[in-house]
Amino acid sequence: MAPMTPPPGVRPGAAVGGGDGDVTGATVLAELRRLRDSGELAGRLDVGAAAKALARLGDACAAMDVLQGLQQEAADEADPTTWVVEAAHALVPPTEEEAEFDAVAQTEAEFEPEAEVEAEVEVEAEEKGFGAQEPAAKRLRPSPPSRPPWRPP
């Protein structure tokens, strides 16, 4: 999987850089709410999802840089929440678990043996004149009893 690059307007080294000690998580949250309520953005900003993504940066100054980039470069973005999440994700290397999950998902997307096998079986059946068959679960279901079950008097 190719490494993500930050969206335009976000400094690639922002997550590492230090900065103004006056910027706190509360400041970032207040800015998220201000952006949501201001009408400056084309789409709806989900404050909770954006705050969670920005918190992963571990640096309030970097989070404010992302929000500044959103305001300057992506104000016309239809989904500002996704923009913020992707920008924050691009600045933070994935955890070991996320990297493993991404690798598995990539492998599964490239190789889907079940679909290939099913397609081959269907082609073989049609070539031999069997046509489409019902799934085994439908063919093998038990028939209903002809009389009610025995009950003691």
Side-chain angles (χ1 to χ4, degrees):
M1 184 170 150
M4 292 183 64
T5 58
V10 178
R11 292 189 329 238
V16 183
D20 188 358
D22 295 339
V23 179
T24 64
T27 307
V28 173
L29 193 55
E31 180 64 10
L32 279 167
R33 289 182 179 136
R34 187 194 69 75
L35 283 170
R36 177 194 62 195
D37 298 337
S38 70
E40 295 177 32
L41 304 174
R44 183 180 177 283
L45 179 64
D46 180 348
V47 172
K52 184 177 178 182
L54 293 172
R56 287 194 59 219
L57 294 175
D59 182 1
C61 291
M64 290 300 286
D65 285 344
V66 169
L67 295 179
Q68 184 178 10
L70 172 66
Q71 202 170 0
Q72 293 173 350
E73 305 289 332
D76 297 332
E77 189 73 28
D79 187 0
T81 304
T82 300
W83 191 93
V84 170
V85 169
E86 288 177 356
H89 185 71
L91 295 173
V92 176
T95 63
E96 188 175 311
E97 184 177 301
E98 290 171 334
E100 184 178 329
F101 179 80
D102 288 345
V104 169
Q106 181 79 18
T107 303
E108 287 177 356
E110 292 173 359
F111 182 70
E112 296 180 8
E114 293 175 11
E116 291 175 16
V117 170
E118 282 183 29
E120 288 176 16
V121 169
E122 286 179 19
V123 168
E124 273 185 41
E126 287 178 16
E127 287 174 355
K128 293 181 180 180
F130 294 114
Q133 294 186 358
E134 288 185 52
K138 287 184 178 179
R139 288 193 316 261
L140 299 177
R141 88 177 138 227
S143 58
S146 57
R147 58 187 172 149
W150 179 81
R151 290 194 178 107

